[in-house]
Amino acid sequence: MNLMSLKITYLGKFNTEEHTIEKDVRDELIKMGHKVSSIDDKDFDPKQVIELANKSDLFLFRTGGVVTDNVGDFHITLNRLQYILQEIKTKKVFWFFDKVIGLGNNWMFNVEPLIDVGFLNDETFLRRHHTDKLYPLHLGVFSGGVYNGNYNKDFAYDVAFNGPVYGTRKVFIDVMRETFGNNFGVFNIQDDKQFADLCASAKIIVSPRFPYDDWFWSERFYKTIGHGGFLVFPRFEGLKDEGFEDGVNYVGYDVYGEMIEIIKWWLDSNNEKAKEGIEIIKKRGMEMVRFNHTYDKKLQFLLDTTFNRYKK
């Protein structure tokens, strides 16, 4: 089989105007030379998915359309996915981007026996529940989707946060507003070019800890650094395994009190070391992401592992 030109059926979040990781992955696969048939996982015919997948070399999915926010819909949609996987005879692979919590645990234990191999962004789950079918695979950036942004006065805050506000993040936002007042901006930008402008305009991009941990974080880490942003991010052990160093590619913190003091140090207008250091860290971080953490490299690992794991 030619791994440079595969037929792939991909079930994921496609029928939306918003950015999704699946769109980046699909575009990267196409850029790599593969033929991808994408199907939205909220509105699909199971028989059509089975037919298309059985004509492909690989069936790839994120959650397979399983609803994990209520028990009733979970069991119905899980049964549907189990039926689909039992009927598909080609390679079956998932790349699960999210934190494995709640009904996600049930999803993992029910789906794992029916697939050839699975990849998880949540490496913490794998460290607790090791199986020979599952591999850690953190996220990254689309190789054709990282940009050098332009200055935009609407984004020119001392400190900025980009992302949805929910759960304990609300407390984080309140603390940041109380500390930095009008110098703190909150955004939820999806467009990559516009986000690159935010990274070029805000002095510091900051991230709260929730819902991350030592071996789980979202694509925002890679996108912020890859677009040239100066990122203050939780100091996680897993980032070292990915090649990132605190004070070299990003600036880390352990607790919010430390984070506040770190931000103030880097914002001090009289701090010549900070002025010079910001540009050095931004450059090193951007190079690290663009050279080592693009989806073509992540997907090549996924494909090589999927098709070669049983070869001697």
Side-chain angles (χ1 to χ4, degrees):
M1 181 178 293
N2 181 8
L3 295 188
M4 301 302 292
S5 181
L6 297 170
K7 291 182 180 179
I8 300 171
T9 298
Y10 193 5
L11 183 65
K13 296 181 179 179
F14 294 107
N15 190 20
T16 173
E17 293 183 358
E18 294 184 354
H19 163 266
T20 65
I21 300 173
E22 287 95 325
K23 291 179 182 179
D24 281 347
V25 170
R26 176 196 60 195
D27 293 347
E28 194 73 80
L29 285 168
I30 293 172
K31 190 168 180 277
M32 293 168 67
H34 305 294
K35 183 178 180 180
V36 182
S37 298
S38 54
I39 303 173
D40 187 72
D41 62 10
K42 282 191 176 181
D43 183 20
F44 64 92
D45 179 354
K47 292 183 178 180
Q48 182 185 19
V49 172
I50 294 168
E51 181 180 359
L52 190 59
N54 280 329
K55 295 178 181 178
S56 303
D57 301 304
L58 173 69
F59 175 59
L60 179 63
F61 61 102
R62 175 177 180 167
T63 65
V66 177
V67 176
T68 57
D69 57 6
N70 70 80
V71 175
D73 289 340
F74 171 77
H75 288 294
I76 294 172
T77 52
L78 177 62
N79 289 339
R80 179 182 61 183
L81 176 61
Q82 290 172 318
Y83 162 71
I84 290 172
L85 294 175
Q86 288 166 350
E87 295 298 315
I88 292 176
K89 307 308 177 185
T90 190
K91 293 286 187 183
K92 295 166 283 192
V93 175
F94 68 71
W95 189 0
F96 199 90
F97 307 139
D98 311 300
K99 187 71 178 168
V100 184
I101 56 175
L103 290 172
N105 285 283
N106 292 11
W107 184 97
M108 199 64 62
F109 295 130
N110 279 279
V111 173
E112 186 265 347
L114 300 174
I115 51 97
D116 290 280
V117 60
F119 299 86
L120 287 81
N121 183 34
D122 186 357
E123 187 177 347
T124 304
F125 175 88
L126 287 179
R127 287 169 176 261
R128 295 170 178 164
H129 309 281
H130 174 74
T131 79
D132 62 359
K133 280 188 180 181
L134 304 181
Y135 295 81
L137 185 59
H138 292 286
L139 301 175
V141 294
F142 171 42
S143 62
V146 281
Y147 304 97
N148 296 322
N150 298 309
Y151 177 83
N152 185 329
K153 63 180 179 61
D154 293 333
F155 299 149
Y157 288 85
D158 283 348
V159 190
F161 166 75
N162 187 70
V165 178
Y166 60 92
T168 59
R169 283 186 176 181
K170 295 177 182 177
V171 177
F172 167 80
I173 296 299
D174 289 341
V175 170
M176 295 298 292
R177 282 177 171 155
E178 182 179 345
T179 305
F180 296 102
N182 293 331
N183 293 318
F184 176 64
V186 179
F187 304 91
N188 191 16
I189 298 170
Q190 299 290 328
D191 179 77
D192 283 336
K193 290 184 177 180
Q194 192 176 22
F195 181 59
D197 291 346
L198 172 65
C199 292
S201 306
K203 293 179 181 177
I204 293 174
I205 308 291
V206 67
S207 174
R209 296 187 68 88
F210 179 82
Y212 310 140
D213 60 39
D214 270 331
W215 284 277
F216 171 78
W217 51 87
S218 77
E219 63 165 350
R220 294 181 187 276
F221 176 83
Y222 303 98
K223 283 206 165 188
T224 302
I225 296 175
H227 285 308
F230 182 80
L231 179 63
V232 174
F233 195 82
R235 191 181 289 119
F236 291 145
E237 281 298 309
L239 291 175
K240 298 176 184 177
D241 299 335
E242 293 278 283
F244 293 96
E245 298 180 57
D246 177 13
V248 176
N249 323 103
Y250 78 106
V251 172
Y253 71 87
D254 288 320
V255 295
Y256 285 156
E258 180 191 14
M259 176 195 70
I260 297 296
E261 294 306 312
I262 285 172
I263 291 174
K264 288 181 178 179
W265 188 88
W266 286 99
L267 289 176
D268 185 354
S269 59
N270 296 318
N271 189 340
E272 293 300 325
K273 290 184 178 180
K275 293 178 184 178
E276 180 181 355
I278 284 177
E279 295 306 315
I280 293 174
I281 290 173
K282 287 170 66 173
K283 183 176 184 294
R284 287 174 176 169
M286 185 169 59
E287 289 175 348
M288 168 64 80
V289 169
R290 295 186 183 189
F291 291 153
N292 299 299
H293 295 281
T294 49
Y295 281 131
D296 55 343
K297 294 179 175 62
K298 310 276 183 171
L299 288 164
Q300 196 60 56
F301 171 78
L302 182 151
L303 296 175
D304 288 342
T305 303
T306 298
F307 289 97
N308 297 323
R309 66 192 299 259
Y310 295 118
K311 291 183 179 180
K312 295 182 180 180

